[in-house]
Amino acid sequence: MFFFNNKDDYFMSLALKEAKKGLGYTSPNPMVGAVLVKNGKILGKAFHKALGEFHAEKVLIESIKANLVKDSTIYVTLEPCNHEGRTPPCVPLIIKSGIKKVVIATLDPDKRVNGSGFNALKNSGLQVKLGVMEKEAKKLNNIYMFYKKNRRPYIVLKAALTLDGKIATSSFDSKWISNDMSREIVHRLRLRLKAIAIGKNTIKRDSPKLNCRLKGFENKIVDKLIFAEREDNKLTKSFAENGGKILFVPKKISRDENEFFSFCVNNEIDSVLVEGGSKLYSYFLEKFMVDKIFLFYQPSFLGVDGVSIFQEKGSKLIKDLNEFKIDDITKLDNNIMVELSRGESLCLLD
């Protein structure tokens, strides 16, 4: 819930609501919303709908008659771009339109922007105000901010398991350890994140769809990272028609975390949801590549012959353990969700 101190906060809150309409469809671009105001009256609202489509500022300006745009104020949730990318830059369009004032929530950390758009608008003689609802704008695009700052994807691991840390029986039966409420949260994560990482054995056993099944977001594109030594079209049968890139990750890439991160950046993957199985969980955990974890516990015990979430050799001394920080614990009917993080903890479920 927003509490407004002034009219700028109010209009920016509307721009943020517009921006969120692009959730799931803009990656690796940010979600951006814009509102045009004149004499206290809202002339129009717009948002960046999807990767490759026109930015919010252009959509908004071109949807309103030129004489109305002149001397108006535009509220935009992210610094307008001043470089040629998939679409034309927004700064020249704003200047040419006759807009009098630009209110910006936060700078764009992309090195091609990062203040250049702000400076170009200011140097052109426009009134420019920066930092309105900045905290909320950064939170909305927290994955984008992390990706641009660290030049690597944000890694999230999710697993359903019993209290003794087992993710499946000895015959690899795992449906369903988690309940409906837990699985809905997994689909919310699939909506928020760019790609799913999965091992070839898990695909062979489960034939997963690897898509987002939230109502209204069934067309959300999810990239798939398959950890397998070679490409195999038989592995992709269950999800090949769901859309998104299907990328095979061989050992020469997965052997080194920096190689894997570079592989993701080269394929414009800003975030990864690690979905299993045990070998893949172990790989990401052993290399300390995981930023956030969602564990969905069924309050039961599976036994010593069950499949463990972590199968590598551990530390010999308790003092050598690498702890995660507990962010939250939530009861989901008769499941327990434990939310953990190491390093930067991003809010992913708002």
Side-chain angles (χ1 to χ4, degrees):
M1 181 181 293
F2 294 131
F3 295 93
F4 310 115
N5 295 317
N6 51 58
K7 65 177 183 179
D8 284 344
D9 282 4
Y10 171 69
F11 290 128
M12 187 61 77
S13 75
L14 298 181
L16 286 166
K17 286 180 71 174
E18 285 295 306
K20 197 169 183 179
K21 292 178 181 178
L23 177 64
Y25 297 97
T26 64
S27 176
N29 279 2
M31 293 172 273
V32 180
V35 174
L36 200 67
V37 178
K38 189 172 183 179
N39 299 324
K41 180 182 177 182
I42 296 172
L43 301 180
K45 297 180 280 189
F47 68 100
H48 179 42
K49 291 184 177 180
L51 181 67
E53 295 198 19
F54 289 127
H55 292 179
E57 301 95 316
K58 180 178 174 66
V59 174
L60 178 58
I61 291 169
E62 295 188 349
S63 70
I64 300 170
K65 291 181 180 180
N67 65 310
L68 293 176
V69 174
K70 188 172 174 21
D71 294 326
S72 64
T73 297
I74 188 169
Y75 292 81
V76 61
T77 58
L78 190 70
E79 176 186 11
C81 62
N82 196 30
H83 68 281
E84 193 81 28
R86 285 186 173 90
T87 57
C90 294
V91 167
L93 177 65
I94 292 172
I95 295 171
K96 186 179 177 181
S97 72
I99 284 173
K100 179 174 66 176
K101 183 177 180 180
V102 183
V103 182
I104 303 167
T106 185
L107 294 178
D108 187 338
D110 188 321
K111 63 181 180 181
R112 297 170 299 177
V113 191
N114 201 16
S116 67
F118 171 83
N119 290 330
L121 290 167
K122 201 168 183 179
N123 292 338
S124 72
L126 272 70
Q127 299 175 46
V128 186
K129 185 175 181 179
L130 177 66
V132 175
M133 299 198 78
E134 181 174 21
K135 182 179 177 181
E136 292 82 357
K138 285 183 174 180
K139 181 179 179 182
L140 178 67
N141 279 310
N142 53 17
I143 288 176
Y144 175 78
M145 299 287 176
F146 179 94
Y147 179 65
K148 290 300 180 182
K149 181 176 70 175
N150 297 286
R151 295 297 296 164
R152 71 165 180 86
Y154 193 71
I155 307 294
V156 181
L157 185 150
K158 72 87 185 170
L161 64 170
T162 55
L163 292 177
D164 51 349
K166 308 299 182 180
I167 61 172
T169 67
S170 58
S171 62
F172 296 102
D173 180 33
S174 62
K175 293 185 178 179
W176 292 102
I177 292 176
S178 60
N179 62 18
D180 289 343
M181 292 178 71
S182 296
R183 292 196 294 277
E184 181 179 352
I185 286 180
V186 171
H187 285 284
R188 286 169 63 188
L189 291 173
R190 287 182 179 183
L191 171 63
R192 190 76 172 83
L193 305 172
K194 177 69 171 174
I196 291 172
I198 193 165
K200 64 177 183 180
N201 292 332
T202 301
I203 295 174
K204 288 178 179 178
R205 285 192 296 265
D206 298 344
S207 299
K209 293 182 180 180
L210 302 183
N211 62 349
C212 177
R213 296 194 283 278
L214 293 179
K215 188 175 180 180
F217 295 98
E218 295 88 350
N219 295 324
K220 193 266 181 177
I221 292 174
V222 181
D223 292 343
K224 291 87 178 175
L225 299 173
I226 303 172
F227 281 67
E229 192 52 42
R230 60 186 62 85
E231 295 188 14
D232 183 352
N233 291 334
K234 293 180 181 178
L235 288 174
T236 68
K237 281 184 179 180
S238 63
F239 53 79
E241 296 180 0
N242 292 339
K245 299 175 186 174
I246 298 174
L247 302 167
F248 285 82
V249 184
K251 284 183 180 178
K252 65 179 181 180
I253 291 175
S254 64
R255 193 176 291 119
D256 180 83
E257 56 268 33
N258 291 322
E259 284 286 333
F260 174 71
F261 289 152
S262 295
F263 177 80
C264 289
V265 171
N266 290 338
N267 285 284
E268 297 188 306
I269 293 172
D270 61 9
S271 52
V272 177
L273 180 61
V274 182
E275 294 231 9
S278 182
K279 287 184 178 179
L280 199 62
Y281 289 147
S282 299
Y283 162 76
F284 277 93
L285 290 169
E286 183 189 31
K287 290 184 175 291
F288 307 109
M289 294 166 64
V290 179
D291 298 296
K292 199 164 185 78
I293 296 180
F294 289 86
L295 298 178
F296 301 94
Y297 282 99
Q298 183 191 94
S300 62
F301 296 88
L302 210 156
V304 69
D305 59 344
V307 180
S308 296
I309 185 174
F310 186 69
Q311 295 191 333
E312 300 297 328
K313 290 183 178 180
S315 301
K316 292 184 177 181
L317 299 173
I318 295 296
K319 68 180 181 66
D320 294 332
L321 292 176
N322 285 281
E323 285 189 86
F324 283 85
K325 175 180 172 287
I326 298 175
D327 291 332
D328 202 5
I329 299 174
T330 308
K331 185 176 182 291
L332 302 171
D333 195 6
N334 205 41
N335 277 184
I336 299 169
M337 180 178 75
V338 179
E339 193 175 336
L340 310 168
S341 65
R342 178 184 286 128
E344 193 167 349
S345 177
L346 304 186
C347 181
L348 303 175
L349 295 177
D350 278 4

